[in-house]
Amino acid sequence: MNFQKIILNAQEYEWAPAEVVSVDYETIQPSRLYIIQCKFLNSDSSASPSDIIQARALNANIKQIPIKGEIVFVCKAPTAYHSGAGYGREYYYTSPISIQSSVHHNGLPGANTIVLDDRNNTQKSSDAQLGLTSKLTDKTNVKSTIDPTFPERTDVFPIQPYSGDIIIEGRWGQSIRLGSTVDGRRRYQQSPSWGTGLGATGNPITIISNGTNPKKNEKTYNQFHIESPDNDDASIWLTSGQTVKFTPASKYTPSIFDKEIGLFRKNLFGGNQIILASDRIVLNANKQEIVGFAKEGIGFATEKTLALNAKNIIELEGGKISLGFNATSPIILGDRLVEFLKSLMDIVIDMNKSIVKMTHPTGVGPSGTPTNSGDYVSYVNALSRLTSSLPRLASKFVFVNEYSGGASSNDRNKFLELKKNSFIVKVPEKQRGDKSGTVSFN
């Protein structure tokens, strides 16, 4: 007896089909991972249909776990205890056989259960004359079902293959396509959603798609489907010259096109690129940075709000910063404005103090204090109060430079001095009127 062969119906087989009876999803034993129970099809010898066998996954790295009711091929191979001193053999199973040509499931439950054909001889003869042969469903228990915990769906379809493609498809409408730019001279059931673009026929394209599930009743059973950035739940497209058909989520792009960040529009999203498409895209760097570089430009567009948040600093640098589309009015430098207004108010205060003390020569000698000097004293007090409120004009939150390229050495030293003194603006001596005041940013 050959211990590497399977004995069925007094015949030896290297491979034999078996119906999956159950899958062990609960085991915590390291030696029992991916174990299934199955029974050979239509056997009547040492392994009859009623005999249940246990089998392991043949490939430990790439595997498709079958469900109850699917058919797998089974072979014998060494166990972990095999050695030159003795044989050790057990069963191993392959991926499910594509009986239904379905990417969703290929169940054939009850394949080992035979029921009697209740047609009489006259009916059988009549059916034979009409060319109505006995079908598999006539001979099996059609009440048998696949795994009841398997959520069978009717909206999962295979993706359209093109010449030379290598395709990996899951059961639920996810896929990886290692394809190329398609030669348009050959006709296919579904046309690709990408074109030659800036490349050529045969250029590689990689598409990772999750949720290529068309709307219900949009397609019939096993009709081919095509990936689409607009319709798939989520997808990643790696292109080599191709142009990809999709609709941008926002059309509000005045600044993007005005500043000539528009090569994508010129070449219809063609070129070497990565396209991410989904309802939401999240970039999350747990330990380090998210960094982006671009040769021509970076453009963001949204129909609602663009928000930037940083716990420490948000810094913008460029040849020119415009707040608003083609903005023309310059903003005011806060610290310089405070210094200017403080100096101006000191001059006005001194002016009012002089007016209070003002005298005029007359025929009988110098005049006395003006009768309305009290008014000027009130002006001085009001200006002093305004002077004390100057710190509120300067932001402690937003800072700007006069020119691009960073602050000048003079501005940088002044900023460091302000920071050192808790942002207290000290007006230069020559600009002070009474040589006493400072303006605090606290």
Side-chain angles (χ1 to χ4, degrees):
M1 178 181 293
N2 190 335
F3 291 98
Q4 293 184 339
K5 298 296 181 66
I6 299 172
I7 310 301
L8 293 174
N9 304 327
Q11 300 291 325
E12 292 185 347
Y13 298 91
E14 293 184 356
W15 296 88
E19 178 186 357
V20 178
V21 175
S22 66
V23 181
D24 189 356
Y25 297 106
E26 300 179 0
T27 183
I28 59 175
Q29 301 178 31
S31 61
R32 288 182 54 83
L33 300 181
Y34 318 118
I35 290 289
I36 69 168
Q37 290 185 325
C38 55
K39 54 185 177 180
F40 292 110
L41 296 185
N42 304 330
S43 58
D44 58 8
S45 179
S46 58
S48 66
S50 61
D51 291 337
I52 304 297
I53 65 170
Q54 179 177 285
R56 301 178 184 277
L58 184 63
N59 192 321
N61 299 105
I62 301 176
K63 60 187 70 68
Q64 180 181 347
I65 307 302
I67 62 172
K68 177 183 176 182
E70 290 188 317
I71 308 300
V72 296
F73 269 123
V74 174
C75 69
K76 279 186 175 181
T79 70
Y81 305 102
H82 178 85
S83 69
Y87 291 102
R89 296 287 187 270
E90 62 180 313
Y91 293 108
Y92 292 84
Y93 67 89
T94 64
S95 297
I97 300 172
S98 182
I99 291 177
Q100 315 287 357
S101 296
S102 171
V103 297
H104 186 45
H105 80 80
N106 287 278
L108 190 63
N112 271 313
T113 304
I114 300 177
V115 296
L116 295 177
D117 188 345
D118 58 359
R119 297 178 302 167
N120 57 39
N121 291 335
T122 301
Q123 184 63 47
K124 290 179 182 178
S125 176
S126 174
D127 288 346
Q129 291 176 5
L130 294 173
L132 301 178
T133 59
S134 179
K135 298 180 180 179
L136 178 63
T137 53
D138 299 326
K139 297 180 180 180
T140 60
N141 181 2
V142 296
K143 294 182 180 180
S144 297
T145 60
I146 62 173
D147 185 346
T149 64
F150 180 86
E152 189 171 1
R153 297 176 56 163
T154 59
D155 60 348
V156 178
F157 297 89
I159 62 172
Q160 170 73 59
Y162 299 106
S163 178
D165 281 358
I166 296 176
I167 298 175
I168 301 172
E169 293 185 81
R171 293 183 184 269
W172 313 106
Q174 64 269 71
S175 62
I176 299 176
R177 181 196 296 272
L178 306 178
S180 67
T181 302
V182 180
D183 191 328
R185 294 176 297 178
R186 174 171 288 176
R187 313 306 296 177
Y188 295 95
Q189 186 184 114
Q190 298 286 329
S191 299
S193 52
W194 62 92
T196 304
L198 304 181
T201 300
N203 276 22
I205 187 170
T206 300
I207 305 172
I208 302 174
S209 180
N210 187 72
T212 54
N213 304 308
K215 296 179 181 178
K216 193 173 182 180
N217 301 324
E218 185 178 284
K219 295 180 180 293
T220 57
Y221 174 73
N222 264 4
Q223 184 178 355
F224 285 130
H225 186 59
I226 190 69
E227 307 98 322
S228 167
D230 289 340
N231 301 323
D232 295 351
D233 293 346
S235 60
I236 302 175
W237 296 64
L238 310 178
T239 71
S240 181
Q242 294 89 354
T243 181
V244 180
K245 301 175 184 177
F246 75 96
T247 305
S250 176
K251 296 181 179 179
Y252 185 71
T253 56
S255 296
I256 290 178
F257 294 132
D258 182 73
K259 299 304 179 288
E260 299 181 352
I261 310 174
L263 289 177
F264 64 91
R265 182 173 63 173
K266 180 179 180 181
N267 54 42
L268 301 177
F269 290 97
N272 303 334
Q273 60 192 333
I274 298 175
I275 298 175
L276 306 178
S278 187
D279 291 349
R280 178 184 294 114
I281 295 175
V282 178
L283 302 177
N284 184 46
N286 285 320
K287 297 294 184 181
Q288 298 188 22
E289 308 91 348
I290 294 176
V291 181
F293 302 96
K295 195 73 173 179
E296 292 294 332
I298 298 176
F300 288 98
T302 175
E303 293 295 297
K304 292 189 176 180
T305 302
L306 177 63
L308 297 176
N309 296 276
K311 198 169 184 179
N312 291 332
I313 297 173
I314 294 178
E315 182 169 294
L316 302 177
E317 173 61 17
K320 176 183 177 183
I321 296 176
S322 295
L323 302 179
F325 181 61
N326 284 332
T328 56
S329 297
I331 65 173
I332 301 299
L333 301 177
D335 56 341
R336 298 188 186 182
L337 176 62
V338 169
E339 289 181 3
F340 172 80
L341 292 177
K342 176 62 169 62
S343 299
L344 177 62
M345 288 183 179
D346 284 346
I347 293 172
V348 176
I349 288 174
D350 289 345
M351 183 184 300
N352 280 274
K353 288 180 177 179
S354 297
I355 292 175
V356 171
K357 299 175 182 179
M358 183 174 59
T359 60
H360 298 278
T362 66
V364 293
S367 63
T369 303
T371 58
N372 63 340
S373 61
D375 295 339
Y376 293 100
V377 171
S378 66
Y379 298 155
V380 169
N381 293 333
L383 288 170
S384 296
R385 289 193 296 271
L386 286 176
T387 301
S388 65
S389 68
L390 286 178
R392 289 182 291 177
L393 296 179
S395 173
K396 304 180 187 66
F397 178 58
V398 180
F399 297 86
V400 296
N401 291 324
E402 183 176 6
Y403 301 103
S404 66
S408 65
S409 58
N410 183 54
D411 288 341
R412 190 180 301 110
N413 292 335
K414 185 184 297 183
F415 176 80
L416 294 176
E417 185 67 23
L418 288 173
K419 190 174 181 181
K420 178 180 178 181
N421 294 289
S422 299
F423 289 94
I424 296 175
V425 177
K426 295 185 177 182
V427 181
E429 287 287 332
K430 63 179 180 179
Q431 294 184 10
R432 291 183 185 171
D434 59 0
K435 301 180 181 181
S436 62
T438 62
V439 180
S440 172
F441 277 58
N442 291 332

